[in-house]
Amino acid sequence: MAEMINSRLTLEFNAGMDESGETVFKQKNFNNVNLEAADPSLLTVATALGQLQELPVTAVTRTNEYDITE
């Protein structure tokens, strides 16, 4: 059975355009998220953190790592 060993919350921001007109994205990672935190709670936190940033948030993701060894 897989056991979750780590969780990370990532906020992606629109940082404008580069010289060729392509959108530039920046990310901020928040490591060591409580493994039992519910996704809706993390979205609430991400929304609050996003409001404190200078750049607009374009995406919020959660990445979980699992130990799948026996």
Side-chain angles (χ1 to χ4, degrees), residues 40-60:
S41 296
L42 289 179
L43 182 56
T44 299
V45 169
T47 301
L49 289 171
Q51 292 173 351
L52 299 173
Q53 307 302 310
E54 293 180 17
L55 301 173
V57 176
T58 58
V60 176

Side-chain angles (χ1 to χ4, degrees), residues 26-44:
K26 292 188 176 186
Q27 294 182 341
K28 282 193 178 185
N29 295 307
F30 298 89
N31 299 314
N32 301 317
V33 171
N34 185 323
L35 302 180
E36 297 177 10
D39 292 340
S41 296
L42 289 179
L43 182 56
T44 299

Side-chain angles (χ1 to χ4, degrees), residues 12-26 58:
E12 181 180 84
F13 303 94
N14 182 336
M17 303 285 215
D18 64 10
E19 309 81 41
S20 61
E22 297 291 323
T23 304
V24 175
F25 296 99
K26 292 188 176 186
T58 58

Side-chain angles (χ1 to χ4, degrees), residues 3-4 9:
E3 176 185 4
M4 191 183 329
L9 181 67

